Amino acid sequence: MTNALSSPGISGCPQIWTRPSVSFKPLTSPPCQWGGLEIPGGDIYYNHFTYTTALISQASLFEAHERYLDLHIVLSGCEQVALAPVESLDEAEVRADEDSTMYRGTPEYSVTLDQNRFLLVFPGEGHLPKLSDRVPMNIDKLVLKIPC
């Protein structure tokens, strides 16, 4: 599921529909088991990532989860996320302690994320983030882990 914020998009990153802007404040909680932070009042965690996007390659791995939804929110930059149902992918590695199974395969489609769009990934949906479509871009991003 993707969504768009009401502010104008980056060229090449079209909007789908609008929602009010959301701001995030750093928490002082200790890191959770995935190295992120727990949001008080529930079992929701978030991880903060900074990285540079890259083109998809033979070494690229999709990931999918069983116990958590992933809510991808780009704070700055623009990235592609490739998607495919896990039934169409080949299992490569299970990381049970991270609620992740890694897969190899071919994307069925991709979405563009920027500050104006988010992506909600449900259990069993293979997703491959950190991709660029043309040139590498620096990304600042939150991924909320929401129990299902």
Side-chain angles (χ1 to χ4, degrees):
M1 165 187 279
T2 60
N3 193 354
L5 300 177
S6 56
S7 58
I10 293 175
S11 176
C13 298
Q15 295 183 351
I16 296 178
W17 26 285
T18 61
R19 71 170 172 83
S21 179
V22 175
S23 62
F24 294 88
K25 297 179 181 175
L27 300 175
T28 56
S29 308
C32 72
Q33 61 184 339
W34 293 289
L37 296 173
E38 182 177 353
I39 296 174
D43 294 329
I44 299 174
Y45 301 89
Y46 76 86
N47 292 312
H48 181 233
F49 298 100
T50 56
Y51 53 85
T52 302
T53 59
L55 296 174
I56 194 168
S57 73
Q58 292 289 341
S60 298
L61 293 175
F62 286 83
E63 64 182 88
H65 311 289
E66 291 182 18
R67 300 185 318 263
Y68 286 85
L69 305 172
D70 273 1
L71 178 58
H72 296 247
I73 301 170
V74 173
L75 303 174
S76 67
C78 184
E79 76 171 333
Q80 296 289 313
V81 179
L83 299 153
V86 294
E87 298 81 17
S88 70
L89 303 171
D90 298 318
E91 187 175 302
E93 178 184 356
V94 176
R95 300 176 185 170
D97 58 330
E98 298 175 9
D99 185 39
S100 292
T101 302
M102 311 307 284
Y103 296 89
R104 295 192 191 288
T106 304
E108 288 202 7
Y109 59 98
S110 68
V111 295
T112 302
L113 300 182
D114 63 14
Q115 303 91 311
N116 301 309
R117 298 178 62 152
F118 67 79
L119 175 67
L120 183 59
V121 182
F122 287 85
E125 294 181 333
H127 55 289
L128 173 54
K130 303 181 181 181
L131 299 176
S132 63
D133 58 352
R134 284 170 256 161
V135 296
M137 184 172 281
N138 294 325
I139 302 296
D140 187 13
K141 177 175 164 180
L142 295 177
V143 178
L144 278 72
K145 308 292 281 182
I146 305 165
C148 46

